[in-house]
Amino acid sequence: MANNDKGSAPSLSARQLQSHLKMEPKTLGAIQIVIGALILCLSASVLQLHEVHFTGDVALFLIVVMQVTLSGSVLVHSGRKPTMFWVKCVLVLHLVSAAFATAALGLMSKHLPYRQDSYHCEHCRRLEQHAVLLLDGILGTLVIFLVLELLICITAMLFGLSVLAAGGSQVRVSLFKQFSNKETKKQTVGQKCSSLN
């Protein structure tokens, strides 16, 4: 594959490109963007409830939404214009996304199922049973989306590492070819010198 228009980013070899495109980066990136939008909607609906006392934990989801959307966008772009720069960006952003998703998953799983007696204070009114069930459903859905995001991050990182590994083995092969060519040239020069003597 040829370098991009600016010519500054190194291109991927055919083996690296095949490994990268096997991941279906455009599809996974689009799924990540949709997950980010759904997490934003669900966390905003939880923040609307004034009786929920863990709004600080839910506010972390705004950071997670930005990170998921950014990593999904970079993944889509790396599928459209695959270069080594974008593959490395995918690796770094998905590593950060995995860390944020794990942190948010830990925070949300401690609130599931919603135990309003443990959060209840004297000035708060108690939620009715159907509101508690709805809150449990929203929190459960958030946890499912976070697990799905974590799986996408792990998949993107593994495929990104396989692209880098395919490039590393290619470098070793080319270095071996260069070394063997130099040795062959030395042997032919040595044979010519000995034949002259």
Side-chain angles (χ1 to χ4, degrees):
M1 180 179 159
N3 287 345
N4 63 1
D5 297 317
K6 296 176 184 171
S8 61
S11 62
L12 299 175
S13 68
R15 187 172 166 196
Q16 288 174 317
L17 184 63
Q18 180 185 9
S19 179
H20 182 64
L21 294 179
K22 194 186 301 183
M23 173 180 45
E24 296 288 335
K26 293 179 195 175
T27 306
L28 280 181
I31 290 171
Q32 274 188 305
I33 293 170
V34 169
I35 286 173
L38 292 173
I39 287 174
L40 178 66
C41 293
L42 289 173
S43 60
S45 65
V46 171
L47 286 174
Q48 295 297 319
L49 295 173
H50 298 290
E51 290 79 17
V52 175
H53 291 284
F54 51 90
T55 55
D57 294 349
V58 178
L60 171 72
F61 277 106
L62 300 177
I63 297 170
V64 171
V65 165
M66 290 188 308
Q67 182 61 35
V68 167
T69 306
L70 179 66
S71 59
S73 300
V74 168
L75 193 58
V76 168
H77 188 73
S78 76
R80 295 176 69 201
K81 296 185 180 186
T83 61
M84 188 58 74
F85 172 75
W86 290 112
V87 170
K88 290 178 181 178
C89 283
V90 164
L91 274 171
V92 170
L93 287 174
H94 281 86
L95 183 64
V96 173
S97 275
F100 277 121
T102 304
L105 187 63
L107 285 174
M108 282 301 107
S109 62
K110 75 178 183 180
H111 300 296
L112 194 65
Y114 180 71
R115 297 172 296 277
Q116 70 178 350
D117 293 333
S118 63
Y119 304 113
H120 186 68
C121 57
E122 293 176 15
H123 67 278
C124 296
R125 65 182 178 89
R126 292 183 59 82
L127 294 174
E128 295 191 21
Q129 184 62 28
H130 62 82
V132 171
L133 290 176
L134 179 64
L135 192 58
D136 278 342
I138 291 172
L139 292 177
T141 306
L142 282 171
V143 167
I144 288 171
F145 284 147
L146 286 173
V147 168
L148 187 59
E149 168 62 19
L150 197 56
L151 291 174
I152 290 173
C153 287
I154 291 170
T155 302
M157 286 188 293
L158 289 176
F159 274 100
L161 288 173
S162 72
V163 168
L164 291 180
S169 64
Q170 191 174 36
V171 169
R172 276 185 255 128
V173 168
S174 65
L175 287 176
F176 177 73
K177 286 180 181 177
Q178 288 176 356
F179 180 73
S180 63
N181 286 340
K182 287 180 183 178
E183 288 297 317
T184 306
K185 287 179 184 177
K186 285 181 183 178
Q187 289 175 354
T188 55
V189 168
Q191 290 173 350
K192 288 180 182 177
C193 288
S194 63
S195 65
L196 289 176
N197 291 333

